[in-house]
Amino acid sequence: MKTPSLSLPNDIRRGSLACVGLGMTLGSHLTPLARSHIAQADVIFAGLSDGIVEMWLERMHPDVRSLQPYYQEGKSRMKTYRQWVDLMMTEVRAGKRVCGVFYGHPGIFAWSPHKAIEVARAEGFEAHMEPGISAEDCLYADLGIDPGRFGCQHFEASQLLFYERRIDPAGYLVLWQVGLVGDRSLARLQTGPAYRQVLVDLLSRDYPLDHEVIIYRGATLPIEKPRIRRIPLCDLPLVQLAVEETVVVPPAEALKPNLAIQERLEALDKADALE
């Protein structure tokens, strides 16, 4: 007597999750693999920075569900991000192939994709993150910065205020989300000049107040150009600053040779030469 088959019917599929990045500039940064995940998905959840980009995505797939409406003034962004995870996982658990589409790179300054993938894998579902061109990648190209030349530190601006971190003024310093600096509620959409002044006061320990800083925003549409402004550090609280803009602080000091380490390395070189 044959044992009854325990396999699922052909019309029942096990759910899966892919979180992909669209890149920063509409259309031109989309990779073939990201496009494939979008095309093969049953449902798309879109966390994008621009309504035009969202409309473009809707031309690629018949079921695109925007995540943007879950943002609300006075509502903690962490609550919103948890809702995003729940929305995606509900469809994964229903057996659907879900694709979360995010601007830039889905794993950079993006809590929900990482968490959703973690939850999906913990529940036994297939989950994958497909990288995209990030704002950081565009920043290096548009500003002509090679992070390997002097080194480069990256901080979320509020984290730099909330915790004791070491700044190396001999390398580049990249500060993200300066427009939200000092927000402890995770519910504001922007903070004001007084909060940026606290940041300037902190930075003034390592940089002269007249040191030039760069305010950068990458292009999101092919017809746009990156926005680049150069101002003295002391003026940072005085200018209008969008949440999407990034502040880059160029090196203020020369690299200092570590003579003690160089002597050790020289001794090793001599020892190797004698062998």
Side-chain angles (χ1 to χ4, degrees):
M1 181 176 178
K2 291 185 178 180
T3 302
S5 174
L6 299 179
S7 61
L8 295 173
N10 291 333
D11 60 339
I12 298 179
R13 295 173 297 175
R14 186 166 177 77
S16 65
L17 173 66
C19 290
V20 308
L22 278 189
M24 297 305 298
T25 304
L26 174 62
S28 59
H29 289 172
L30 182 64
T31 67
L33 277 175
R35 184 184 291 273
S36 175
H37 282 294
I38 293 170
Q40 295 176 21
D42 297 312
V43 57
I44 303 290
F45 288 96
L48 303 174
S49 59
D50 192 296
I52 295 176
V53 179
E54 198 168 288
M55 291 172 61
W56 178 81
L57 180 62
E58 289 172 351
R59 295 172 59 183
M60 298 176 59
H61 197 280
D63 190 357
V64 175
R65 305 177 191 181
S66 177
L67 295 171
Q68 291 301 115
Y70 293 89
Y71 282 120
Q72 293 178 11
E73 180 76 44
K75 175 184 176 183
S76 170
R77 290 188 295 281
M78 185 53 65
K79 183 176 181 179
T80 297
Y81 299 152
R82 293 187 187 280
Q83 286 179 315
W84 290 6
V85 173
D86 290 341
L87 288 165
M88 290 187 282
M89 285 306 304
T90 295
E91 298 300 330
V92 171
R93 294 175 185 128
K96 295 182 180 180
R97 292 173 295 185
V98 176
C99 184
V101 181
F102 300 87
Y103 69 91
H105 188 302
I108 297 180
F109 285 91
W111 183 87
S112 298
H114 284 294
K115 187 62 178 180
I117 288 174
E118 175 189 331
V119 172
R121 288 175 176 171
E123 295 183 12
F125 296 105
E126 181 182 349
H128 171 75
M129 179 177 286
E130 186 61 35
I133 294 176
S134 69
E136 178 185 350
D137 301 314
C138 297
L139 182 151
Y140 292 142
D142 292 335
L143 299 184
I145 293 174
D146 180 354
R149 186 179 181 191
F150 299 115
C152 191
Q153 290 180 295
H154 291 258
F155 292 106
E156 196 276 332
S158 291
Q159 187 185 95
L160 194 62
L161 296 186
F162 298 161
Y163 301 95
E164 295 184 3
R165 307 302 302 265
R166 291 183 179 181
I167 295 174
D168 177 10
Y172 285 95
L173 175 66
V174 181
L175 300 175
W176 300 92
Q177 299 182 332
V178 175
L180 281 169
V181 68
D183 175 29
R184 295 185 296 170
S185 68
L186 295 180
R188 298 186 187 185
L189 301 180
Q190 198 167 33
T191 53
Y195 289 84
R196 294 200 296 276
Q197 185 62 55
V198 176
L199 175 64
V200 169
D201 292 344
L202 178 69
L203 294 174
S204 68
R205 301 175 187 176
D206 296 287
Y207 300 94
L209 285 173
D210 62 355
H211 186 65
E212 184 180 84
V213 302
I214 305 167
I215 301 174
Y216 169 81
R217 180 176 181 176
T220 57
L221 300 176
I223 59 174
E224 293 179 340
K225 291 184 178 180
R227 186 181 185 191
I228 300 170
R229 294 183 283 165
R230 301 176 187 271
I231 63 170
L233 175 62
C234 60
D235 285 353
L236 189 58
L238 307 178
V239 300
Q240 291 293 325
L241 197 68
V243 175
E244 299 83 5
E245 291 182 296
T246 302
V247 174
V248 179
V249 186
E253 297 179 0
L255 293 170
K256 298 177 182 178
N258 189 328
L259 298 179
I261 293 296
Q262 290 196 34
E263 288 177 1
R264 287 183 62 186
L265 295 174
E266 184 178 357
L268 289 173
D269 291 342
K270 290 178 179 179
D272 286 343
L274 294 175
E275 291 181 359

